Amino acid sequence: NQKKAFTPPTYAKNEDQKNRLKSTLQKSFMFSALEAHDFETIIMAMKEVPMKAGEMVIKEGDDGDFLFVIEKGSLECIKKIDGADKVVKVCDPGDVFGELALLYNCPRAASVVAKGDCVCWQLDRESFNHIVKDSAAKKRNKYENFLKSVALISSIDAYERSQIADALVPETFNKGDTVVRQDEPGDKFYIVEE
């Protein structure tokens, strides 16, 4: 049961598009934790999709082959509840939508309609599965193994460890950088990885 070789699609982008997309993806938890190489691959695999006000981008119940990341504009997620369309969420710049169908291989959970003119970036299922999903699994395994060696939390169970592993965000500091400052509120704790 070997994995097939995968070559992601590549869509030409000018520097402005690349910079806008990088800035947008860094706002999304799903993409911000990617390794630099995977991040670049995802940027090149995404396709810019302008949308007009009122345009239905996703229809509830359809199969899903793409997810979208919003660069500009807002979109409404609408579900049929008791026969009526109800707005259940509003997605704004940096938000991802359409990922549930890709993550869980299920029909679209809601319809998504552009509130005004929008710019989104589209990523196909195969690229998502091979790069984002695989990267997340590798990251989780790496951090779970690492967390087993941290004395403070080594005794927690596997589920709790996986929850912490998913929440970890690597930060890099250079020699001489201040990591914490006395008397400032502490909203993070650090584990030295290397």
Side-chain angles (χ1 to χ4, degrees), residues 96-158:
V96 177
F97 65 92
E99 78 283 6
L100 294 179
L102 304 188
L103 280 168
Y104 304 112
N105 205 21
C106 61
R108 296 294 192 185
S111 296
V112 180
V113 178
K115 284 177 70 173
D117 290 352
C118 300
V119 176
C120 293
W121 292 89
Q122 174 182 291
L123 182 66
D124 66 283
R125 174 188 293 274
E126 228 182 332
S127 297
F128 175 78
N129 285 340
H130 280 86
I131 301 166
V132 181
K133 230 172 157 179
D134 284 0
S135 176
K138 279 187 226 162
K139 176 187 164 219
R140 175 186 275 179
N141 288 337
K142 173 183 162 188
Y143 286 151
E144 280 183 8
N145 289 331
F146 171 68
L147 289 171
K148 286 177 190 172
S149 70
V150 177
L152 178 68
I153 51 180
S154 61
S155 63
I156 65 174
D157 68 31

Side-chain angles (χ1 to χ4, degrees), residues 174-193:
N174 296 313
K175 185 177 182 175
D177 286 353
T178 301
V179 179
V180 294
R181 194 176 307 280
Q182 185 174 342
D183 296 327
E184 284 187 353
D187 60 352
K188 301 178 186 178
F189 79 91
Y190 293 92
I191 303 169
V192 179
E193 184 177 1

Side-chain angles (χ1 to χ4, degrees), residues 6 14 28 36 46 48 52 55 82 86 89 91 109 119 127-128 143 147 150 154 156 171 176 187:
F6 171 71
N14 61 38
S28 168
M46 294 188 97
E48 187 172 14
K52 296 284 178 208
E55 184 177 334
D82 298 328
K86 299 248 195 290
K89 181 181 177 187
C91 297
V119 176
S127 297
F128 175 78
Y143 286 151
L147 289 171
V150 177
S154 61
I156 65 174
E171 289 189 32
D187 60 352

Side-chain angles (χ1 to χ4, degrees), residues 37-81:
H37 170 74
D38 290 334
F39 193 76
E40 278 305 313
T41 303
I42 286 296
I43 284 174
M44 295 314 294
M46 294 188 97
K47 178 177 162 186
E48 187 172 14
V49 181
M51 298 168 184
K52 296 284 178 208
E55 184 177 334
M56 184 177 288
V57 183
I58 286 178
K59 185 172 183 225
E60 185 175 358
D62 282 358
D63 288 335
D65 294 327
F66 301 98
L67 67 72
F68 297 87
V69 179
I70 304 167
E71 178 186 343
K72 259 195 298 204
S74 294
L75 296 97
E76 294 179 327
C77 299
I78 301 167
K79 281 188 74 64
K80 277 234 182 281
I81 300 172

